[in-house]
Amino acid sequence: MENSKKYNLELDPFYVTGFSDGEACFHFAIGKNPKYKIGYYVNPGFSIALHKKDEELLRKIQEFFGDVGVLKVKKDIVQFRVFSIKDLNVIIEHFDQYPLITKKYGDFILFKEGLELIKNKEHLTIEGFNKIISIRASMNKGLPETLKGAFPNIIGKTTPLATLPENLNPNWVAGFTDAEGCFFVKAPKDRSRNVILGYQVTQHSRDTLLIEKFITFFNCGRLEMSKSAINFIVTRLSDITGIIIPFYEKYSIIGSKLKDFEDWKKIAKLMTSKSHLTKEGLEEINKIKSGMNASRISKDDI
């Protein structure tokens, strides 16, 4: 990789790809502008938007890419955005070497195709612009209604599919979990035997074949469908203590979800010692649970 010396390798490259498979977006902003001959502008971009509690993680990702792009904090959201062609080349180099493996791979390939059109100034012609509209129609959620109305005859391109690796990379798994995973506990206040500890990774059902690989990777767990989502779930305590916890102690999560994992481990320890069967133990579990996931309050919010 030509720009490898610029990279901050505090983050494993596969971790960055795994996290991006869950949270990143490749996009083309297209809108009217009378200054252009065709009447429209086209701006390519790569972005990741997170809750401000993960500002530190997003800064590490920006540093990983050699401090390209911009990072802005607006209210509760922190955004890492890359717009210039030069900086986007750094992003593309990374994903060419460490490929995405969710549906987002197709967006990436189409994005590269559109970016080449822009580099060659083809977007300034009607023919080239229509090619970008066709590409945009097949990316993410498709064309917005304004563009559908303005270009009713545009036909989207076939979206390329990722080639799944035979085995998932553990650092990719850690990064993807940081983006799409959850360490949860269900603890009724008065039913100690109904306490459930779980690890879950969720993705759109179009990535079912990928999520199925989590069962092989961890050699435990099960799949559950919910509406248009596919979930990999582990709730057996012996699998949690013997497989899941040791894995994430070795391949650590880096974002704010790490705090949830540490609390989750405390609950696993209480359950292993059967403390959850006592009133005091159950109260302790609910106390820990009350500060996890969506209930967690960052220091900045206090």
Side-chain angles (χ1 to χ4, degrees), residues 6 9 29 35 57 67 85 203 216 237 244 277 282 287:
K6 297 180 180 179
L9 294 181
K35 293 182 179 180
L57 170 58
D67 285 321
I85 299 296
Q203 191 68 356
T216 304
L237 186 58
I244 304 301
L277 300 179
L282 187 58
K287 181 180 178 181

Side-chain angles (χ1 to χ4, degrees), residues 14-34:
F14 281 104
Y15 185 100
V16 174
T17 293
F19 191 81
S20 298
D21 255 320
E23 295 288 357
C25 179
F26 300 92
H27 50 84
F28 291 104
I30 301 173
K32 290 185 177 181
N33 190 326

